[in-house]
Amino acid sequence: MTADEFLTWSASWVEGERYELVDGFPVRLQAERIAHAMVKLSIAIEIRRALRAAERSICHAFIDGVSVRIAEDTLREPDVLVHCGPFDPNGKIADNPVVLVEVVSPSSVTADRERKLIDYFAIPSVRHYLVVLIPDRRVIHYERAIEGGDFQVRIAGTADELSLDPLGIRLAVAEFFADLPEDAGSWET
């Protein structure tokens, strides 16, 4: 299945269904735990706050439902993304993502840290990939200094800030987890 065929097929989904297209095959996304949804929303709010503070009006934070094109047969749907430049408000794909965020869940831990890392940095515009670990309240920050260049890795905790350049924004990691109850985030069932 191509990305265009996938997008046409997506019009037939039942409300609430979510899929990614991986190597031509639709992959259903798992339902999220409340802690996952809380952290994802907090990240989007913190990014929006930072973009506004930096007066980056050409950049926007998107959450859920907006995909990025990895290849002609692969579309991914990050938990949060920052897109800079013009966009179609009725579209489903962010053409110029600069920051991609995945909040790790038990079912996605391997894909988020391995396959999606490779996929996301295949997009030339992507400069930052944040992998958010709820149980540890940490963020693995992969940063590419220039388009197409090598990347650096940093692990940040709640006492740290992330600098996302060239956007010129700083994110307080503590804000990602601020509303999360202290006992939330365990993957124990």
Side-chain angles (χ1 to χ4, degrees), residues 105-126:
S105 62
S107 65
S108 73
V109 65
T110 301
D112 289 345
R113 291 197 296 197
E114 295 175 9
R115 175 64 193 265
K116 288 185 181 180
L117 173 66
I118 293 166
D119 283 354
Y120 287 159
F121 279 109
I123 304 169
S125 62
V126 171

Side-chain angles (χ1 to χ4, degrees), residues 113 132-139 155-158 177 184-187:
R113 291 197 296 197
V132 180
L133 306 167
I134 294 175
D136 302 322
R137 287 179 167 66
R138 294 185 185 270
V139 177
I155 298 173
T158 55
F177 309 103
S186 171
W187 287 347

Side-chain angles (χ1 to χ4, degrees), residues 63-82:
I63 193 169
D64 276 353
V66 179
S67 295
V68 294
R69 187 183 302 262
I70 308 301
E72 185 50 39
D73 65 352
T74 303
L75 292 174
R76 293 284 190 179
E77 186 182 310
D79 286 320
V80 181
L81 69 87
V82 175

Side-chain angles (χ1 to χ4, degrees), residues 32-189:
E32 296 174 352
R33 295 173 184 226
I34 291 173
H36 186 106
M38 290 177 72
V39 170
K40 181 169 55 175
L41 177 60
S42 294
I43 293 167
I45 290 169
E46 174 64 3
I47 289 173
R48 184 178 66 183
R49 180 210 55 79
L51 289 169
R52 287 179 175 171
E55 298 180 356
R56 298 291 294 180
S57 62
I58 65 163
C59 298
H60 302 275
F62 299 138
I63 193 169
D64 276 353
V66 179
S67 295
V68 294
R69 187 183 302 262
I70 308 301
E72 185 50 39
D73 65 352
T74 303
L75 292 174
R76 293 284 190 179
E77 186 182 310
D79 286 320
V80 181
L81 69 87
V82 175
H83 171 89
C84 294
F87 63 91
D88 176 0
N90 297 312
K92 295 181 178 183
I93 297 178
D95 294 322
N96 197 45
V98 178
V99 180
L100 300 173
V101 181
E102 290 289 355
V103 178
V104 175
S105 62
S107 65
S108 73
V109 65
T110 301
D112 289 345
R113 291 197 296 197
E114 295 175 9
R115 175 64 193 265
K116 288 185 181 180
L117 173 66
I118 293 166
D119 283 354
Y120 287 159
F121 279 109
I123 304 169
S125 62
V126 171
R127 299 292 291 273
H128 302 274
Y129 176 39
L130 307 180
V131 178
V132 180
L133 306 167
I134 294 175
D136 302 322
R137 287 179 167 66
R138 294 185 185 270
V139 177
I140 304 171
H141 176 197
Y142 298 92
E143 178 181 8
R144 180 167 44 197
I146 58 170
E147 284 189 17
D150 292 334
F151 60 88
Q152 299 176 350
V153 180
R154 176 178 180 224
I155 298 173
T158 55
D160 299 316
E161 284 190 336
L162 301 175
S163 294
L164 305 186
D165 291 318
L167 292 174
I169 64 173
R170 296 178 68 79
L171 304 176
V173 174
E175 288 301 311
F176 294 6
F177 309 103
D179 296 327
L180 202 59
E182 198 60 39
D183 61 347
S186 171
W187 287 347
E188 302 293 323
T189 53

